[in-house]
Amino acid sequence: MPQCARYEGQDPDLYGYCIYKYAGGFETIEQVNLQCGKAGTWENDCRHAWVAGRMNASSGVPMDTLLEVCATNADCAFELLDFRPSNEVTVQIKRCNKHAGEHAGNCIRHAMQRWYYTKPSASEVKRIAELPTNHPDKVGYWVAAIVQCQGVGECPQGTALGNRCQNTVDNFERVPSGCPAATKQPLPHNRGRKKNGGAKPPSAPESSRQ
């Protein structure tokens, strides 16, 4: 990269930051792997920056390719999965478990919330309630929201998910106002804003990396 040549062999941190800064312009996966692989401590940010500019489905880059580029960067994968979720909740949950690392629980919670907005049928509630999961608290909460707040389906019996579901149903019975909204609501600071249609690349930390 001629743009960063003056830092190569002189200042590894600035060299890595320079590569990260130009990551969005890499045209192929081979370039991403080659150049980000030279970025040292900036490699994860470099990969994240490339993925961030291609999260929209209109980019033409397949989801599996983007997840491959995120590699072990859980922040990158979580942002991607939230931005371009699968319409099939079980696929989304599997991707959360496989790629989102420390963010897997929140990733699954968001997947279940989107599922809740679809107002699923009783058979669909049963299908998801019987799904093996490492996060029964996240899945169980939203199953309970369907059962109690939408009056559809029932909690499974004898499982950790079922126990979480029943406890949450009891809470909603006591405090009906605690039921989640039935449709997606923008956060207060986003109300009235238009979607920008794209994700921003990760910001450079304000530290010695300047």
Side-chain angles (χ1 to χ4, degrees):
M1 291 186 64
Q3 307 96 316
C4 305
R6 65 186 182 277
Y7 303 120
E8 188 172 8
Q10 303 297 320
D11 189 324
D13 198 55
L14 280 177
Y15 182 56
Y17 173 70
C18 184
I19 293 173
Y20 147 74
K21 190 169 69 170
Y22 290 102
F26 299 158
E27 295 182 359
T28 66
I29 301 298
E30 289 74 21
Q31 282 185 309
V32 174
N33 290 332
L34 175 64
Q35 299 299 345
C36 291
K38 298 177 182 178
T41 58
W42 286 92
E43 179 173 0
N44 277 347
D45 291 315
C46 180
R47 290 176 172 275
H48 194 168
W50 190 85
V51 170
R54 293 159 178 81
M55 288 188 180
N56 198 303
S58 64
S59 72
V61 183
M63 185 70 167
D64 288 343
T65 299
L66 294 173
L67 287 169
E68 181 182 340
V69 173
C70 283
T72 59
N73 187 339
D75 290 341
C76 174
F78 180 32
E79 184 180 346
L80 171 62
L81 289 168
D82 250 10
F83 192 85
R84 199 197 289 190
S86 171
N87 291 328
E88 169 51 55
V89 67
T90 59
V91 171
Q92 184 72 359
I93 288 173
K94 287 177 182 177
R95 286 175 172 171
C96 290
N97 280 323
K98 184 175 180 179
H99 300 285
E102 70 219 55
H103 305 303
N106 283 331
C107 183
I108 290 171
R109 176 169 61 84
H110 294 176
M112 289 299 300
Q113 187 171 14
R114 284 187 289 266
W115 176 76
Y116 172 79
Y117 294 147
T118 68
K119 297 179 173 59
S121 65
S123 61
E124 172 69 357
V125 171
K126 184 176 186 297
R127 180 177 78 98
I128 300 305
E130 293 176 349
L131 183 72
T133 175
N134 294 328
H135 296 274
D137 55 330
K138 310 298 184 189
V139 179
Y141 174 90
W142 289 100
V143 170
I146 296 288
V147 171
Q148 180 60 29
C149 304
Q150 296 185 12
V152 177
E154 59 186 17
C155 295
Q157 301 296 313
T159 65
L161 190 155
N163 292 338
R164 167 63 163 157
C165 178
Q166 190 56 58
N167 289 338
T168 306
V169 163
D170 294 342
N171 290 337
F172 287 146
E173 282 182 332
R174 287 192 294 270
V175 187
S177 61
C179 282
T183 56
K184 185 176 182 179
Q185 300 293 320
L187 294 172
H189 61 275
N190 284 333
R191 287 172 188 161
R193 284 188 180 184
K194 293 181 179 179
K195 287 187 176 180
N196 59 20
K200 295 181 179 179
S203 301
E206 296 180 1
S207 63
S208 59
R209 296 181 172 187
Q210 293 182 355

